[in-house]
Amino acid sequence: MKRSVFISHSSGDKPVAEEVRVFLEKNGVLCWIAPRDVMPGENYGAAILDAIDECRVFLLILSHHSNQSNQVAREVERAASSDSIIIPFRIEDVQPSRNLAFYVSSAHWLDATEKPVQRHYEDLLTAIRDWQKNEGSEQTGKPSDGAPPPLPVVSTQRSAGYPTARVAMVIGALALLSLGGLLLYKMSLRNKAAQTTAVGEISSLSPVPATPIPSLAPSSTPEESVAPSAAPALPETTVPPTAPVARRKPGEPLHSPAGSEQPAIAPSVNAPRLRPGQPLNPSVPEPSPPTPTAENAPVVHEVAASSQLNESSGANLAFDGNRDTAWVPKGKLVDQSISVHFKSPAVIRAVSILNGVGQDEERYRSSNRIKTLRIMLSDGTNKMVTFKDELKMQRFELDRPAMANWIKFEIVSAFRGSKSTRSGIAEITFNPPP
């Protein structure tokens, strides 16, 4: 019998899981739940794996019992690798454990902490049916963007520290508006400079080149102000009557007219010319260049870590391209981990890591540094790497290229620092050049 929902739960939450199953099946949603659907004599583990692969929706009963269950953690990991739709149904006011956080942090939560829990069953049924409706439209050939449809969620809640997609869209829109305004401003300055240059060129068309023109103010005799073969005179408001028209050499910068309230657009004649990309104010130092990355590096979508020391040492700092910032976890370095989820599946051939907190050799030596690190990818690749005790980017190649949705880095052992046990990772890049 084809099932559509796999119910993952700890034995401590069995009564709630059974209530959810009865409610869903009563409303026409077939479920798979252990131990009811494990056939006598069938291998228990194999039956669970087959059921997860068969069901498109993975329903996690989230509580302090499931946080402590290794079996639930293995089921969630399998569902993530099978590209299932994971729906955390939180029945207690708890955050996901380290074993679950990476897989459910980006999923919509159905918050059922408000008692009684039965009042939230309708919301769960609506979410599942809406997903099935969208899935059915994709199978009939209707247009689709290729991504699973978002789950409609009532009273959803996300873990702290992860921005929503709506916030990311607003930030992107503001950035585009700022860039467009800057481009329009630069174009207006360029047009003004071109207009001023055109005025100077037209003003220099005098019928008698040997006699300079003192001003463009109209004389008492119209025949003397403009020669028959010259261009027509410009309006009086274009150039002030008292401002003499001076010839300029090619490339000579413009000057503000005497008495003008606005500064000159270009620097004075004696000012040194700027090279392309040189800042206008030489007293302001240029920022240090970011860490170079490969052209085929994947796009980072979300980052999570087992812990962070404070707000200025978050996990995202290991992927910001700045060697002077670092992810620093709380407590000892060993057993801490950091994970990254890509925007789309990417081929990973190698990683490059800057060990420690970076910045300078003295600070590097005074704190703990990573000695061995376990790299785990979503396709099942598992590689242990060993660092040289050096303050530089160190490149590690995988045994074979891997197509990955996410990568997890787990610290196994560390070099001991002279003063502090705290340290972290300054920078991580993917597919760096050899």
Side-chain angles (χ1 to χ4, degrees), residues 191-204 215-218 232-245 248 255-257 260:
N191 291 336
K192 288 182 180 179
Q195 292 173 3
T196 307
T197 303
V199 170
E201 292 174 355
I202 294 174
S203 302
S204 65
S215 68
L216 293 180
L234 296 175
E236 296 181 8
T237 56
T238 304
V239 179
T242 58
V245 178
R248 297 186 310 281
H255 298 273
S256 292
S260 174

Side-chain angles (χ1 to χ4, degrees), residues 21-49:
R21 178 196 61 80
V22 171
F23 178 84
L24 293 178
E25 292 187 340
K26 182 179 178 181
N27 288 274
V29 178
L30 296 180
C31 303
W32 195 100
I33 189 171
R36 184 197 70 170
D37 294 314
V38 179
M39 300 294 294
E42 186 178 9
N43 182 281
Y44 195 86
I48 290 178
L49 294 180

Side-chain angles (χ1 to χ4, degrees), residues 348-351 375 377 381 383 396-402 407:
I348 304 299
R349 297 179 177 85
V351 296
I375 304 176
L377 287 78
T381 301
K383 183 178 181 63
F396 303 100
E397 287 192 6
L398 301 181
D399 297 334
R400 58 177 179 81
I407 300 181

Side-chain angles (χ1 to χ4, degrees), residues 177 257 302 333 399:
L177 289 175
E302 281 187 324
L333 195 60
D399 297 334

Side-chain angles (χ1 to χ4, degrees), residues 179-201:
L179 180 59
L182 178 60
L183 291 175
L184 290 176
Y185 176 71
K186 288 185 175 180
M187 291 176 63
S188 65
L189 291 181
R190 186 178 300 172
N191 291 336
K192 288 182 180 179
Q195 292 173 3
T196 307
T197 303
V199 170
E201 292 174 355

Side-chain angles (χ1 to χ4, degrees), residues 332-353:
K332 296 181 180 180
L333 195 60
V334 176
D335 294 334
Q336 300 283 353
S337 63
I338 183 171
S339 305
V340 57
H341 200 288
F342 302 132
K343 189 173 182 179
S344 59
V347 176
I348 304 299
R349 297 179 177 85
V351 296
S352 188
I353 302 175

